[in-house]
Amino acid sequence: MTEIAISDAEWQVINVIWDGQPMTSQEIVAELSATTNWAPATVKTMLHRLTKKEVLTFDQQGNRYVYRARVRRSDCVRRECRSFVRKVFSGETSSLLAHFLKSSKLTAEEIQDLRNILDEQEAQS
Amino acid sequence: MTEIAISDAEWQVINVIWDGQPMTSQEIVAELSATTNWAPATVKTMLHRLTKKEVLTFDQQGNRYVYRARVRRSDCVRRECRSFVRKVFSGETSSLLAHFLKSSKLTAEEIQDLRNILDEQEAQS
DNA sequence: TGACATCGTTTACAAGTGTAGTTAATTACA
DNA sequence: TGTAATTAACTACACTTGTAAACGATGTCA
């Protein structure tokens, strides 16, 4: 079953990796410096832990590592969503949807896109 | 700013309190025994921590406490949702909505309700 | 008025987390 | 080839979390 637990800070790291892999650690550090105040050593720790958790892997080139994800973003997103809806909305996805639909200001275009998804969903049932 | 951090296990506890408050701890324990394997002492710890975090308060009646929430569920839900969408969907609520709309099987009725919400949202902009 | 049951409080403890300095190895430049 | 810079690994440390037993106070029933 291998429960992979990715912490909040680790999510920030692996998000940039999913967006730009393969990446060296200094590229990752550089990217994260835009959104955090983490010391480089902090990022290194995170990379180390994520590697240990088998979320990341790397190819060694000289004395530096080139990281990439070992797990699919979509799988992690799905898992995280599932536990979130369970925790906050008692597992009721429709409540969650209602909440986010109400609380967010969407553009006309986004609204249309969502309508289209609803149409598809309806067609499939 | 008072960052309130409610852990996963604590969410399970406060959820039953929001649903049934005011409640004594044995009522809370009883309710949770339906969904968890926690020892009563575990629940007590949680109640204690949530009280310390000022998420709960209580009235003393004899030697037992009657607990109720000090924070509104809607506020906690909102905060939790905000940090979740930031963590998993880079803050893009429309991505989150698309994900959940696609990944969940909704009844025709739920779909209609969501459409109505979309209509309202559109009308307001 | 004891003895027992029931509360909440205190203590426990390992694992995970956020945050980062220190160190040892390797590379690169002079 | 030696020294400076860079890199990943190791160590650190306080705080949170999940999980619960032990303890002391209080209430209850005989």
Side-chain angles (χ1 to χ4, degrees):
Chain A
M1 189 160 42
T2 321
E3 269 322 310
I4 313 165
I6 299 176
S7 78
D8 286 8
E10 287 166 357
W11 263 91
Q12 293 193 250
V13 175
I14 204 194
N15 269 334
V16 332
I17 294 171
W18 274 321
D19 284 339
Q21 65 183 331
M23 293 174 87
T24 63
S25 60
Q26 78 267 40
E27 288 173 324
I28 297 166
V29 166
E31 192 71 28
L32 283 166
S33 74
T35 47
T36 70
N37 291 324
W38 295 340
T42 302
V43 180
K44 304 289 181 64
T45 299
M46 235 80 90
L47 292 172
H48 201 70
R49 289 182 183 166
L50 285 169
T51 303
K52 188 155 178 214
K53 289 181 181 180
E54 300 189 296
V55 169
L56 295 182
T57 185
F58 57 81
D59 296 311
Q60 198 160 359
Q61 290 183 0
N63 69 338
R64 56 183 61 175
Y65 288 2
V66 181
Y67 290 92
R68 57 208 154 70
R70 283 192 70 172
V71 294
R72 267 180 309 187
R73 179 177 223 154
S74 59
D75 288 340
C76 293
V77 167
R78 184 169 24 248
R79 181 178 9 254
E80 203 72 21
C81 284
R82 200 164 351 148
S83 71
F84 178 74
V85 70
R86 210 180 292 137
K87 175 172 84 170
V88 177
F89 293 96
S90 312
E92 313 234 329
T93 304
S94 57
S95 305
L96 174 146
L97 284 166
H99 174 88
F100 276 101
L101 283 176
K102 283 177 193 153
S103 75
S104 57
K105 39 193 175 340
L106 301 162
T107 67
E109 202 169 349
E110 287 169 335
I111 290 180
Q112 194 48 54
D113 289 346
L114 296 173
R115 275 214 194 86
N116 290 341
I117 296 176
L118 281 175
D119 291 345
E120 283 167 33
Q121 285 304 86
E122 194 163 52
Q124 271 178 11
S125 60
Chain B
M1 194 160 37
T2 320
E3 271 320 310
I4 313 165
I6 298 175
S7 79
D8 287 7
E10 287 165 357
W11 263 91
Q12 293 193 248
V13 175
I14 203 194
N15 269 335
V16 331
I17 294 171
W18 274 321
D19 284 340
Q21 64 183 329
M23 296 174 86
T24 63
S25 60
Q26 79 268 38
E27 288 172 325
I28 297 166
V29 166
E31 191 71 27
L32 283 166
S33 74
T35 46
T36 70
N37 292 325
W38 295 340
T42 302
V43 180
K44 304 288 180 68
T45 299
M46 236 79 89
L47 292 172
H48 202 70
R49 288 181 182 166
L50 284 169
T51 303
K52 188 155 177 212
K53 290 182 182 182
E54 301 189 294
V55 168
L56 295 182
T57 185
F58 57 81
D59 296 310
Q60 198 160 359
Q61 289 183 1
N63 69 341
R64 56 183 60 177
Y65 289 3
V66 181
Y67 289 92
R68 56 206 155 71
R70 283 191 69 173
V71 293
R72 266 180 308 188
R73 179 177 223 155
S74 59
D75 287 341
C76 293
V77 168
R78 184 169 25 247
R79 182 178 8 255
E80 204 72 20
C81 285
R82 201 166 349 153
S83 72
F84 178 75
V85 70
R86 211 181 289 138
K87 175 172 86 171
V88 178
F89 293 95
S90 312
E92 314 234 330
T93 304
S94 57
S95 306
L96 174 146
L97 284 166
H99 174 88
F100 277 101
L101 283 176
K102 283 177 192 153
S103 75
S104 57
K105 39 194 175 339
L106 302 162
T107 67
E109 202 169 349
E110 286 169 335
I111 290 180
Q112 194 47 54
D113 289 344
L114 296 174
R115 274 214 193 86
N116 291 341
I117 297 176
L118 281 176
D119 291 344
E120 282 166 33
Q121 285 304 85
E122 195 163 50
Q124 271 177 11
S125 60

